[in-house]
Amino acid sequence: MGAEMGEELTMPRHVAIILDGNGRWARSKGMPRNYGHVQGAKTVETICEDAYRMGIQYLTVYAFSTENWGRPRDEVDALMKLLRNYMKTCLKTAEKNRMCVRVLGEKSRLDEDIRSRIQELEEATKDNDGLHFQIAINYGGRDEIVRASRKMAEAVAEGKLRPEEITEETLSGFLDTAGIPEPDLLIRTCNEQRISNFLLWQLAYTEFYFTPVLWPDFTKEELMKAVEAYNHRDRKYGGLKVR
Ligand code: IPE
Ligand code: IPE
Ligand code: MG
């Protein structure tokens, strides 16, 4: 791609974010970790709006991993409480901005009331034509591939699918992200440079961008910096020209 000054920017169609550093942000302010999570949730709200105004069509954020259950009990409880409230706020924002929201991950481990809020949110927003916003909750890339494999095995056992018919497209269609284009750009905040079990299959050709900024401090300007860096990559697949 290699954009020069004054040239139009190529917008990544799908941006995925591993939001990290809520705990460190809070600690730097002498506050409890949960304060960082509350602030981090607010950043998610604003970045959704900013991303869409910039011309990004799909945004996926990693909110809670399958490994995050291993955090101290009170932190897990606080995160679940936050997600519970977030589902309500998100429903309002989605109505206002015509966002189409989908939750990725294994939902059965979540409390019943959170699951019903997720269902309500997905159902109410499924026909919206604004930003496609995916939230990964109790999500693990390996777990997603295992669940997809099980579903395929069931289809084979029921005679609905033949093993020789299984292709990359077939497997993609059984993933939580079925129908969603693969991410063009992955951003991880707080200077950690690992995938932490996020979208293992889908990130095959994604460009990675790492920034030291802590998630609660992430802004539209930071997002634009990531998009500019993306424009200087010599990328072979994907992308979309926008004015
Ligand atoms: C990211 O912030 C949010 C979640 C993983 C839920 P962290 O909680 O991982 O923050 P640090 O890494 O401890 O600073
Ligand atoms: C990754 O962040 C998971 C989420 C952002 C939800 P973590 O902070 O949990 O990841 P590790 O433990 O540093 O790999
Ligand atoms: Mg972290």
Side-chain angles (χ1 to χ4, degrees), residues 3-15:
E4 299 302 324
M5 285 286 283
E7 264 184 39
E8 70 190 55
L9 276 181
T10 297
M11 274 297 150
R13 178 156 63 150
H14 183 175
V15 176

Side-chain angles (χ1 to χ4, degrees), residues 34-243:
N34 194 37
Y35 178 65
H37 294 315
V38 170
Q39 215 50 47
K42 288 183 187 158
T43 306
V44 171
E45 284 271 310
T46 54
I47 287 300
C48 278
E49 292 205 18
D50 296 335
Y52 193 59
R53 280 205 209 100
M54 282 166 58
I56 292 164
Q57 297 174 2
Y58 294 81
L59 182 72
T60 302
V61 299
Y62 203 5
F64 192 90
S65 74
T66 47
E67 287 70 31
N68 287 153
W69 295 108
R71 293 192 179 197
R73 173 75 194 269
D74 59 341
E75 184 172 353
V76 171
D77 287 350
L79 281 167
M80 287 301 145
K81 188 173 163 211
L82 193 59
L83 284 169
R84 196 173 268 121
N85 293 334
Y86 183 73
M87 292 302 145
K88 284 268 176 224
T89 329
C90 192
L91 186 58
K92 289 199 200 104
T93 329
E95 273 164 9
K96 194 176 87 191
N97 295 343
R98 302 205 47 75
M99 257 174 4
C100 169
V101 189
R102 197 148 124 192
V103 172
L104 314 177
E106 210 279 302
K107 298 180 185 109
S108 72
R109 197 167 167 186
L110 303 173
D111 285 350
E112 172 55 36
D113 65 320
I114 300 186
R115 273 186 285 160
S116 62
R117 282 186 194 191
I118 291 174
Q119 204 184 348
E120 180 189 16
L121 181 61
E122 289 183 330
E123 185 56 33
T125 64
K126 70 177 184 331
D127 297 322
N128 285 354
D129 55 8
L131 179 75
H132 290 260
F133 178 49
Q134 292 70 237
I135 318 169
I137 304 176
N138 188 26
Y139 176 89
R142 289 182 176 177
D143 178 67
E144 180 189 34
I145 294 170
V146 168
R147 286 185 288 106
S149 307
R150 275 200 199 127
K151 283 185 232 160
M152 281 196 299
E154 278 163 19
V156 170
E158 288 165 8
K160 293 178 183 151
L161 182 68
R162 291 206 309 270
E164 60 273 24
E165 285 171 347
I166 298 175
T167 60
E168 293 185 5
E169 284 69 33
T170 319
L171 198 145
S172 294
F174 280 95
L175 295 173
D176 298 343
T177 52
I180 298 170
E182 288 167 10
D184 304 289
L185 173 63
L186 172 82
I187 300 172
R188 184 166 186 157
T189 55
C190 200
N191 241 355
E192 301 298 348
Q193 307 199 351
R194 54 178 172 269
I195 304 185
S196 299
N197 204 7
F198 194 38
L199 302 174
L200 297 181
W201 172 275
Q202 298 87 341
L203 295 175
Y205 268 100
T206 303
E207 296 293 335
F208 287 12
Y209 177 85
F210 301 105
T211 167
V213 174
L214 310 181
W215 177 251
D217 288 332
F218 196 82
T219 56
K220 182 173 74 203
E221 287 70 33
E222 297 298 331
L223 181 60
M224 191 46 99
K225 272 193 222 164
V227 168
E228 276 161 10
Y230 168 83
N231 273 264
H232 288 92
R233 305 282 173 90
D234 184 14
R235 190 158 186 255
K236 296 196 169 59
Y237 302 101
L240 183 73
K241 287 268 176 207
V242 295
R243 275 172 208 289

